[in-house]
Amino acid sequence: MAEMIVEVVALDRSVWTGTARQVRVRTTEGDIGILPGHEAVAGILKPGGFAVDPVDGARIEGTIDAGFVFMDNNRVTIVADNVELTGSAAA
């Protein structure tokens, strides 16, 4: 199964790090889904929701405000001023 390393970071803390099958974020260019093997990309995040489908466990969902997303060599980094997890991920 293809996977990638994902790191979600707020200015004051690391929110989630792990391996995932898919990431969905909202950028100024529109919503994007990132899968393993995706070409290198960098984008400016729009405030809104994001989701990470981990290799193990339930989907991680939350909201972010201003920030950036980077993808290169099967590594996704989401950096935002504030990150709030929602649902069971917030527990």
Side-chain angles (χ1 to χ4, degrees):
M1 174 189 316
E3 57 188 51
M4 56 194 167
I5 298 169
V6 178
E7 185 174 16
V8 180
V9 179
L11 288 180
D12 60 345
R13 70 193 192 288
S14 176
V15 176
W16 188 84
T17 302
T19 56
R21 296 182 305 265
Q22 179 177 343
V23 173
R24 183 187 53 78
V25 293
R26 177 167 288 172
T27 72
T28 57
E29 301 296 315
D31 290 0
I32 61 170
I34 302 171
L35 300 170
H38 195 286
E39 66 184 46
V41 66
I44 299 171
L45 296 172
K46 285 181 67 172
F50 75 94
V52 177
D53 290 332
V55 170
D56 296 317
R59 172 179 278 186
I60 308 292
E61 294 182 314
T63 58
I64 52 180
D65 59 5
F68 300 90
V69 61
F70 305 97
M71 164 60 168
D72 194 23
N73 294 322
N74 279 333
R75 183 174 192 92
V76 178
T77 304
I78 297 170
V79 180
D81 291 342
N82 294 295
V83 179
E84 295 296 327
L85 298 180
T86 58
S88 61

